[in-house]
Amino acid sequence: MTSIPTAAPPSPPRPGDPPGDTVKAMNRWLLDALDVVATVGAAQPGLKQDDGNASVLGAAKSALARLYNFEAMAFFLLDRSGLDFPLEDCQPPTVAGAISRELDLQISDGVFAWALQRNHPVIVPAAHFPGSILLHGLTTRSGTVGMFLGIIAERRPFVPDGCQKLISIVLTNSANAIQTAGLWRELQAYNANLEAAIEERTNELRQAKEAAHAANAAKSEFLANMSHEIRTPMNGVLGTTAMLLDTDLHGEQRDFAETIESSGRELLTIINDILDFSKLEAGKLRIESIPFDLHHTLSDVVDLLAAKAKSRGISLSLRGSPTVPGRLVGDPSRVRQVVTNLVDNAIKFTHEGYVLVGLTAATDPGHPTMAQVTIAVKDSGIGIPESKQQHVFEKFTQADASTTRKYGGTGLGLAICRQLTELMGGKIGVESKPEHGSTFRVTIPFPIAVEAGAPAPAPRPAAEVTSNRGRVLLAEDHPANQKIAVWMLKKIGYDVDVAATGREVLACLERTAYAAILMDCQMPDLDGYEATAQIRARTDARQSIPIIAMTASALPADRDRCLAAKMNDYLSKPFQREDLEKVLSRWVPLAGNAADL
């Protein structure tokens, strides 16, 4: 049997031994023991936490060998079930079987349990070895880790108390290190499981996000298609009604036509509200920042709705303030949309009396380039109960169900107003009492526009209807839309040629010089985008002809796509004659009659 190199403690003095030798031997052993204690205190904490039990037990065996001359050493560690102590390490390995049998015998004799309870060396005669065994539990404050078994050559060994205490220190420290290593492994396994769970959850969230993006894209595509499909016949309905109203009609016929026109406009408003709300929900509605005249914008709203207010016997007026700067920077179309909705609601819910649009502004001396603008729409209408006021800005919500039945509407208008106002950095609120009217206030911060050095050019005067405004090419495949656009263009004063496909557009352009092209984007054979690309690829003067997209696709992405295709401007269907005239006036000179080739 191979023994472990050790430095055993000195034997008790025998008669005749020189006293000095015994003292020197004891001193050497004590110094060595102190060194072991210091080593034990530093070695175990110095082990890497992921080294495992082998490193801990290796350090323990080295320390124990310096403390006592064991013939063999073995460590039995408690298994996960907590019911068995399998052999973990044996030195030398050749005695592993005999040591295991020895432990089984000590368990059956009760010595094993006694040693666990004492947490101190227990020395008893061995059954399978000629000498003795030393048992010592590997225990910590929180429980048992295992058992140490050491083989001693002598049947009745002398193990000094100090040596036994040092052995206890080594084994207790080893037990703590084994327990710490086990906890570290459990923590590592938990972290690995946690990381796997996090990765799995992250993948699930990523897939959900991708699915949401795909659903959002599908919804956007559906909205774009539905918008196009609804707006195309709506353009036919409203355009044909406008043509009908331009003819000689007797009183009942005109009333019928005006009812069709009014109902069509209301349906278009609902379509626009749903489309705008969907764009807001998808985060695809953008706010522009351009210089504009806020007073002029509000005047346009009042002028637009003046006839409706007059028909209901309601006074509609605008009251400005000298504190409002002449030019601000913001999105005039979205401001107009918010105020139009508020004024239209005020007219709808007011049976008699007035609707007043008030405009004020305040500036902060600390921020002289910013104006805090407040637009108040006050009416003498039916009012809103206090309990309902907090809900009127929620989507699909009105003051009560009877409101929808009596006045109509989707309940989206004020929700859109709130979201648009917040997108512009502002806030909206309401003050109201039933039967005493309501006041809606919109407060938005606007940068004050820097005045240019040169005066702005005077607006172009409205031209009289004349057939000398130029010849334009209408690219449109829908017969009803062709008829309506030709009628509008002739009323404005343009001569018109019609092309039903993109290839017809290119053929017409070869024969005739046009002042502008009104280009439908979705046409058979060759669509408007490809036709525009081929025109811009020309090398002659026709390459730069103004091309105005005239399409039922009304999403911001549709406008961007048209401009990216090098079209000059964009007009969504259905539109009124004034809209068409306004966009053409930006690109076609008043006397821009083009000569035939």
Side-chain angles (χ1 to χ4, degrees):
M1 183 168 62
T2 305
S3 63
I4 304 171
T6 61
S11 301
R14 294 188 299 271
D17 287 343
D21 292 344
T22 302
V23 173
K24 289 179 181 179
M26 182 62 71
N27 285 339
R28 282 195 304 269
W29 184 84
L30 287 174
L31 290 173
D32 193 43
L34 289 173
D35 183 52
V36 169
V37 171
T39 303
V40 168
Q44 302 292 5
L47 292 173
K48 293 182 179 178
Q49 290 176 309
D50 57 354
D51 280 347
N53 294 337
S55 296
V56 175
L57 297 180
K61 287 187 294 183
S62 177
L64 291 170
R66 297 177 66 184
L67 291 174
Y68 196 82
N69 185 17
F70 289 104
E71 292 288 312
M73 288 187 283
F75 291 86
F76 298 84
L77 300 184
L78 187 65
D79 65 8
R80 289 183 175 273
S81 68
L83 300 175
D84 194 13
F85 288 80
L87 180 63
E88 179 75 15
D89 186 278
C90 182
Q91 182 66 32
T94 54
V95 299
I99 284 185
S100 295
R101 289 192 296 272
E102 185 70 43
L103 185 72
D104 291 340
L105 179 62
Q106 300 303 329
I107 291 174
S108 63
D109 289 346
V111 178
F112 182 91
W114 181 37
L116 284 179
Q117 292 174 357
R118 288 196 63 188
N119 194 27
H120 187 273
V122 173
I123 302 172
V124 296
H128 295 86
F129 295 91
S132 306
I133 62 170
L134 182 149
L135 291 171
H136 194 296
L138 300 174
T139 59
T140 67
R141 290 179 180 273
S142 57
T144 299
V145 174
M147 175 66 72
F148 168 77
L149 189 154
I151 304 297
I152 303 174
E154 295 86 0
R155 197 67 176 174
R156 293 188 176 188
F158 169 68
V159 183
D161 288 343
C163 181
Q164 293 186 35
K165 290 179 180 178
L166 291 173
I167 289 172
S168 290
I169 292 173
V170 170
L171 293 176
T172 300
N173 196 56
S174 299
N176 286 319
I178 291 170
Q179 187 178 63
T180 301
L183 293 173
W184 174 256
R185 288 193 295 273
E186 289 180 10
L187 181 60
Q188 290 283 72
Y190 178 79
N191 285 340
N193 293 335
L194 182 60
E195 289 174 1
I198 291 172
E199 181 63 25
E200 182 180 358
R201 182 58 177 160
T202 301
N203 289 334
E204 291 175 357
L205 292 174
R206 186 183 298 113
Q207 292 172 4
K209 181 180 179 182
E210 291 172 356
H213 281 311
N216 193 44
K219 183 179 77 171
S220 298
E221 184 178 358
F222 172 77
L223 286 171
N225 292 334
M226 289 303 298
S227 172
H228 184 274
E229 295 305 317
I230 293 173
R231 286 172 180 274
T232 297
M234 279 299 301
N235 187 58
V237 171
L238 293 175
T240 304
T241 304
M243 294 168 62
L244 182 62
L245 288 170
D246 197 51
T247 62
D248 292 331
L249 302 173
H250 59 69
E252 188 177 36
Q253 291 173 331
R254 180 165 295 278
D255 182 61
F256 289 162
E258 287 175 349
T259 300
I260 295 173
E261 198 269 344
S262 174
S263 299
R265 292 292 169 196
E266 289 180 6
L267 178 58
L268 182 61
T269 298
I270 293 173
I271 294 169
N272 288 336
D273 280 351
I274 294 173
L275 191 61
D276 277 346
F277 183 75
S278 299
K279 288 186 286 187
L280 284 164
E281 289 284 285
K284 293 187 175 182
L285 196 145
R286 292 177 306 215
I287 299 298
E288 291 186 320
S289 292
I290 60 174
F292 74 105
D293 186 325
L294 179 58
H295 193 278
H296 185 269
T297 300
L298 299 187
S299 295
D300 287 346
V301 174
V302 171
D303 292 344
L304 177 67
L305 296 174
K308 184 175 183 179
K310 185 177 180 181
S311 69
R312 295 175 62 88
I314 299 168
S315 168
L316 175 60
S317 58
L318 170 64
R319 182 179 298 168
S321 169
T323 62
V324 180
R327 302 275 289 174
L328 301 170
V329 177
D331 191 331
S333 63
R334 296 306 173 187
V335 173
R336 184 183 295 108
Q337 183 177 355
V338 170
V339 178
T340 299
N341 204 314
L342 294 177
V343 174
D344 190 55
N345 273 356
I347 295 171
K348 181 194 297 186
F349 295 108
T350 301
H351 302 301
E352 60 181 1
Y354 66 90
V355 174
L356 174 63
V357 181
L359 175 62
T360 59
T363 55
D364 184 352
H367 299 85
T369 60
M370 295 291 295
Q372 196 77 6
V373 174
T374 299
I375 303 167
V377 178
K378 184 177 182 180
D379 63 63
S380 57
I382 62 174
I384 305 170
E386 185 176 357
S387 61
K388 303 291 185 181
Q389 291 176 21
Q390 60 180 333
H391 301 297
V392 296
F393 295 105
E394 297 175 1
K395 55 190 176 184
F396 307 114
T397 301
Q398 293 189 336
D400 59 60
S402 63
T403 300
T404 303
R405 294 193 296 270
K406 185 174 182 180
Y407 296 98
T410 61
L412 284 176
L414 290 177
I416 292 171
C417 287
R418 184 194 67 185
Q419 293 192 54
L420 287 175
T421 301
E422 291 174 352
L423 277 176
M424 291 185 284
K427 57 184 179 179
I428 185 171
V430 61
E431 298 174 5
S432 182
K433 289 184 179 180
E435 306 305 328
H436 287 81
S438 304
T439 301
F440 284 83
R441 284 189 174 83
V442 177
T443 303
I444 304 173
F446 289 109
I448 300 173
V450 179
E451 297 292 340
R460 179 184 295 174
E464 297 181 1
V465 175
T466 171
S467 60
N468 195 34
R469 299 195 68 175
R471 179 175 292 276
V472 297
L473 177 60
L474 172 66
E476 172 65 68
D477 65 310
H478 195 281
N481 289 341
Q482 287 179 356
K483 185 183 298 184
I484 294 164
V486 168
W487 173 78
M488 287 184 178
L489 289 166
K490 288 184 175 180
K491 284 292 183 179
I492 296 171
Y494 289 97
D495 295 324
V496 189
D497 290 338
V498 178
T501 70
R503 297 199 184 280
E504 289 183 18
V505 170
L506 300 178
C508 290
L509 202 59
E510 291 294 332
R511 297 191 301 268
T512 308
Y514 295 100
I517 300 175
L518 296 170
M519 184 78 77
D520 185 22
C521 293
Q522 297 185 13
M523 294 184 293
D525 190 18
L526 192 70
D527 64 25
Y529 302 109
E530 182 58 33
T532 300
Q534 294 194 27
I535 294 170
R536 296 306 186 212
R538 296 175 69 105
T539 57
D540 55 20
R542 291 175 176 83
Q543 176 203 35
S544 58
I545 184 172
I547 300 176
I548 300 164
M550 192 174 67
T551 175
S553 301
L555 293 172
D558 299 315
R559 182 180 185 276
D560 292 343
R561 185 182 177 190
C562 292
L563 298 179
K566 298 185 178 180
M567 298 184 191
N568 299 88
D569 217 325
Y570 170 89
L571 187 62
S572 65
K573 302 172 189 175
F575 51 81
Q576 295 180 301
R577 188 171 70 187
E578 293 78 8
D579 301 323
L580 180 59
E581 184 173 12
K582 182 178 180 180
V583 72
L584 280 169
S585 68
R586 290 200 289 263
W587 301 101
V588 182
L590 288 179
N593 194 20
D596 290 346
L597 290 177

